[in-house]
Amino acid sequence: MGVYGVANESGKISFFTVATHEILGYFNITNVKSTSTCSMFPHGASLQLNSVVLTRTTENNFSFWIQNVLLFNTSDNAIKVLDNVWNFSSQYSTLNASGKGEILNSNEGSYYVFSEPWELIKFPFAGYLLEKETRNEAHLTVSFGYVIIQNGSFVPPSVVWYDNVSIPVLNSTSSCILVSPRETPQGSLFDAELVFGGPGSGSQSCFSALNASLGLFYNNTHVVPFKSIYDFGTDTAERSLDVHAYLNGLVDLYAGEENPSFLTDNYSFVTPFTAVEIENVVNHEIISKELIYIDSAFRENLTNITNASVDLVPENLSVSVQPSDVFQTKTIFITYEEIVEVSLNLPNGTTHVWVKKGDSIRLPETILEGTTRYSLEGNDMLKICSPINLTPVYQKQFLVKLITMQGAQTFWVRDGSKIRLYQESLLPTQWIGTYDVKNGFYVTVNQPIVEREVVSGSPYYIVAGIVILILLTVLARRRRRSS
């Protein structure tokens, strides 16, 4: 895709100029295969961001053609970045420049070149090529950079300025990357291009497979797209064959019949600059991370996440993030409380409760069911660290009620225990009720017990017993007086 300062509004041609200090070429490539006419790279191809820097001095104007390149070896999915700077201030101009690279000579004049080492990539492969110019009174500096946002999977954006080229320009008064419908002194256009081509040295590449999307932008305080775009470039020596371009928000490319044409006067697609790292936090621990890119307002409504016996309850109802045109990563912490299910198998039935992980629950110390009760053995406080199916140990007890001549008494006795039914008496006594036993017998408590003391015998025995008790009481009193 290219921008030439020429608009076409329904057949009406008009001209425009864009002066900026930075341009950005967005790419998203899912597949690329090619053969080239370059003997060094028979399966090579390039993606080039090309533009022209205009520098004015008190006496002259200087034009420098700059090129930022992704060089592909499509046989093994390897890339490297490289840059070029040419002096287009006149025909066959020489170039004086310094950076990480070197000055080489060609039939068209001297030029600057630098390249980074090869690296393997994974598809989808997406990011930006960057070109920026700055100046002072003595030097023009051209910076070449890139940002990778996807290499198989999304990665946080990091701006890498891999080469800064300094060009001596004395008494500079202004400089910019210029798009304008006119030519440089060398005869090329003041344009901006993001194009596929051959791997170098004027070669061409024939694409047998290509799936890619491109976007071209400039940055004057805010990143905005070039509005009037074409689907071809003019100022590079390399060429591509069998690449079809069409407008689908971005400029989409695939291997097919070429169709050089004007695309639109209203290119307005927004590409992603803002990465959002979503970190899910449960009980103060990060349990998962996800990285996404957004180009519009992001909002996610949060709900409980239930999985069998675990319920994750979000602290907030929603989270939201606004995008930016500055490369950055924003982190969202989605904090959940982990609520776990506790199944309590109690003597009177099973109950299910949900408890925040790490909290404690109190077990009932006593469970009463009429004349039967269950008494907890052990600690009544239990810390919950995970879902649990719990059967606390309870002691089963029965209510024992004994009714005697002096009154009634009740008490609880453990299931299976033995008690003695005994009441001191001078008369024959027995117990009538649950067991019906004689006085002094032992019984096993395996059910609630109600027993009544019953004194047996003839009325004469009873009267005699009473008389004897009275006499014994009188004798005891007399002894106390005489003493």
Side-chain angles (χ1 to χ4, degrees):
M1 61 187 297
V3 183
Y4 302 100
V6 179
N8 184 346
E9 299 178 11
S10 301
K12 181 181 178 180
I13 302 300
S14 60
F15 304 103
F16 63 91
T17 295
V18 173
T20 185
H21 298 291
E22 182 179 9
I23 64 171
L24 307 86
Y26 171 79
F27 59 88
N28 188 332
I29 304 168
T30 57
N31 187 23
V32 57
K33 296 292 181 184
S34 69
T35 56
S36 82
T37 58
C38 179
S39 59
M40 291 181 60
F41 304 107
H43 296 282
S46 65
L47 177 63
Q48 307 176 5
L49 178 64
N50 305 322
S51 64
V52 182
V53 178
L54 174 65
T55 300
R56 292 185 172 92
T57 70
T58 54
E59 298 179 356
N60 296 300
N61 294 339
F62 296 93
S63 301
F64 300 98
W65 188 76
I66 61 176
Q67 182 180 62
N68 194 0
V69 180
L70 274 181
L71 182 60
F72 293 86
N73 186 355
T74 66
S75 63
D76 60 2
N77 295 336
I79 67 158
K80 68 175 176 178
V81 290
L82 61 89
D83 58 51
N84 279 198
V85 179
W86 293 73
N87 188 351
F88 279 6
S89 302
S90 65
Q91 292 285 346
Y92 309 109
S93 296
T94 60
L95 177 66
N96 181 14
S98 60
K100 292 182 179 179
E102 59 183 337
I103 300 292
L104 299 179
N105 294 312
S106 72
N107 294 332
E108 289 79 25
S110 60
Y111 65 98
Y112 171 92
V113 62
F114 171 74
S115 67
E116 291 277 7
W118 289 96
E119 293 185 12
L120 295 178
I121 63 169
K122 297 179 180 179
F123 294 107
F125 184 64
Y128 296 80
L129 290 172
L130 312 175
E131 292 178 347
K132 180 174 66 173
E133 66 82 25
T134 56
R135 69 167 184 89
N136 57 34
E137 290 186 355
H139 290 87
L140 168 71
T141 300
V142 179
S143 299
F144 297 93
Y146 61 86
V147 177
I148 304 303
I149 67 172
Q150 190 173 16
N151 190 359
S153 58
F154 287 120
V155 294
S158 178
V159 179
V160 179
W161 295 105
Y162 69 91
D163 194 17
N164 297 292
V165 182
S166 179
I167 305 170
V169 180
L170 296 178
N171 302 318
S172 172
T173 59
S174 67
S175 64
C176 66
I177 296 174
L178 183 66
V179 173
S180 182
R182 58 179 183 169
E183 292 184 344
T184 69
Q186 182 267 353
S188 62
L189 300 176
F190 279 98
D191 64 352
E193 304 172 347
L194 183 64
V195 293
F196 277 96
S201 302
S203 61
Q204 67 181 22
S205 288
C206 180
F207 290 85
S208 58
L210 179 63
N211 294 100
S213 298
L214 303 179
L216 192 54
F217 306 85
Y218 64 97
N219 184 2
N220 283 343
T221 307
H222 295 288
V223 175
V224 294
F226 288 99
K227 291 294 185 180
S228 297
I229 57 174
Y230 295 75
D231 66 356
F232 57 85
T234 62
D235 280 351
T236 181
E238 288 73 43
R239 186 183 174 192
S240 62
L241 297 177
D242 295 332
V243 175
H244 184 89
Y246 66 100
L247 189 65
N248 184 28
L250 291 167
V251 176
D252 286 350
L253 308 177
Y254 64 87
E257 184 179 355
E258 300 169 39
N259 60 330
S261 62
F262 172 74
L263 289 177
T264 181
D265 258 321
N266 192 31
Y267 180 68
S268 58
F269 196 80
V270 178
T271 54
F273 290 81
T274 303
V276 179
E277 185 173 69
I278 302 173
E279 298 188 0
N280 294 303
V281 181
V282 177
N283 297 331
H284 309 292
E285 294 184 4
I286 299 174
I287 61 170
S288 65
K289 292 182 180 181
E290 179 186 12
L291 186 71
I292 63 173
Y293 275 84
I294 61 172
D295 53 23
S296 60
F298 171 81
R299 179 183 175 88
E300 183 172 351
N301 295 321
L302 305 178
T303 58
N304 290 14
I305 302 174
T306 301
N307 179 15
S309 57
V310 177
D311 195 15
L312 301 181
V313 180
E315 290 186 353
N316 300 305
L317 296 178
S318 64
V319 292
S320 60
V321 176
Q322 294 295 326
S324 170
D325 61 359
V326 177
F327 293 109
Q328 61 181 309
T329 301
K330 296 184 177 181
T331 303
I332 297 177
F333 295 97
I334 302 180
T335 303
Y336 293 89
E337 286 189 343
E338 186 175 1
I339 310 299
V340 299
E341 185 180 18
V342 178
S343 299
L344 293 176
N345 303 306
L346 302 176
N348 59 340
T350 298
T351 184
H352 302 274
V353 295
W354 291 87
V355 181
K356 180 180 176 181
K357 185 177 179 179
D359 282 359
S360 297
I361 62 171
R362 184 183 295 276
L363 300 173
E365 295 186 40
T366 302
I367 299 173
L368 185 63
E369 291 188 324
T371 55
T372 302
R373 79 174 185 182
Y374 302 88
S375 181
L376 178 66
E377 293 187 348
N379 195 346
D380 65 336
M381 296 298 296
L382 178 64
K383 185 175 182 179
I384 303 301
C385 297
S386 62
I388 188 172
N389 189 333
L390 181 66
T391 304
V393 178
Y394 281 84
Q395 181 190 103
K396 188 176 184 180
Q397 300 173 344
F398 295 108
L399 183 65
V400 176
K401 183 175 183 181
L402 301 180
I403 304 171
T404 66
M405 302 294 288
Q406 287 77 31
Q409 59 175 319
T410 58
F411 50 91
W412 294 93
V413 178
R414 182 173 183 171
D415 180 27
S417 299
K418 291 182 178 292
I419 62 171
R420 186 184 183 202
L421 300 178
Y422 173 76
Q423 182 68 25
E424 186 174 351
S425 175
L426 297 175
L427 300 175
T429 300
Q430 64 180 5
W431 298 89
I432 303 299
T434 305
Y435 287 100
D436 294 338
V437 295
K438 293 181 179 180
N439 192 33
F441 270 61
Y442 287 89
V443 296
T444 299
V445 180
N446 51 24
Q447 61 180 315
I449 294 176
V450 178
E451 295 288 346
R452 180 185 297 275
E453 176 192 17
V454 176
V455 179
S456 59
S458 68
Y460 299 104
Y461 288 128
I462 297 173
V463 171
I466 294 172
V467 171
I468 291 172
L469 288 174
I470 293 172
L471 289 175
L472 291 174
T473 302
V474 171
L475 288 174
R477 288 177 178 176
R478 285 180 178 177
R479 288 176 181 172
R480 284 199 296 270
R481 288 174 183 172
S482 61
S483 62

